[in-house]
Amino acid sequence: AGYAITTENSAPSEWISSTATSSTSTNKYGNETYYAWAKDWAGNVSSSKSVTVSNIETAAPTISVNSNTTVAKSQTGTITIGDANSGLAAGTYAIKYTWTTSTQEPTWSNISTTTSITVEAGAKTGTATITKNDGTGTYYLHVQGQNIKDKAGNTSTPSAYGTFKIDNAAPTVTFGTEGNTTYAKSQS
């Protein structure tokens, strides 16, 4: 006795052993129509029963950071976590972050600065903002989500960065001398 699940509506040649009552679930199949078959101890095979599956989600949640290369005294990065399919699982997710002057991904085990994003079940996105008020030059806000989960059970630890231009250097004024300068003392 056993059962089989196929993607074609023709009797299978291979069977999975089972008891009189059995159930199965799997995530090895994709989005399509499946046919279930049963076979008893005497070798009799049932007619198939079909089901069309169209909601299997295997995509992990994502993280992104905006960029702003317009020069300013301070910059605010918006961190977005998301899952366009089933939506995010309810929870508060820790986000590690650091500002650097390099696009190279930091060693995350050395980063302890965090913020958090709280979302309700099924939310497609959640956001947090981080502001940098000092420095002059091009800075990169690197972020890494910590075990972001979606409603389908997919989990990820995604990372990303955004580019920002900051200028906190005061302009300088210089005077140059042109030609000769003459000093005189007058007497009356």
Side-chain angles (χ1 to χ4, degrees):
Y3 70 93
I5 298 174
T6 66
T7 56
E8 295 181 12
N9 193 12
S10 57
S13 59
E14 295 183 26
W15 298 87
I16 299 169
S17 290
S18 69
T19 59
T21 303
S22 184
S23 66
T24 187
S25 65
T26 183
N27 63 1
K28 71 178 183 176
Y29 300 111
N31 296 335
E32 61 183 295
T33 300
Y34 300 98
Y35 301 90
W37 306 80
K39 181 176 166 181
D40 65 18
W41 291 109
N44 299 308
V45 176
S46 71
S47 58
S48 67
K49 294 289 183 179
S50 67
V51 62
T52 299
V53 178
S54 60
N55 290 338
I56 295 177
E57 186 205 335
T58 58
T62 60
I63 193 167
S64 63
V65 182
N66 69 307
S67 289
N68 186 350
T69 56
T70 301
V71 177
K73 288 180 68 69
S74 69
Q75 291 282 8
T76 299
T78 300
I79 304 163
T80 303
I81 59 172
D83 185 85
N85 298 307
S86 65
L88 296 162
T92 299
Y93 297 102
I95 310 296
K96 286 185 172 186
Y97 72 91
T98 186
W99 291 93
T100 72
T101 56
S102 170
T103 59
Q104 183 174 351
E105 187 165 7
T107 303
W108 289 110
S109 60
N110 296 336
I111 306 298
S112 61
T113 311
T114 63
T115 188
S116 63
I117 298 175
T118 301
V119 296
E120 295 181 10
K124 299 297 183 186
T125 62
T127 61
T129 57
I130 302 295
T131 300
K132 181 165 180 59
N133 295 312
D134 61 348
T136 295
T138 301
Y139 289 87
Y140 302 93
L141 174 58
H142 291 268
V143 297
Q144 183 188 56
Q146 303 299 297
N147 298 314
I148 310 295
K149 296 178 185 174
D150 66 17
K151 285 182 55 182
N154 300 304
T155 302
S156 68
T157 304
S159 60
Y161 71 87
T163 306
F164 299 86
K165 295 215 181 245
I166 299 174
D167 183 358
N168 281 294
T172 58
V173 177
T174 59
F175 289 99
T177 58
E178 293 183 23
N180 293 328
T181 305
T182 304
Y183 298 95
K185 181 176 180 185
S186 65
Q187 294 182 346
S188 356

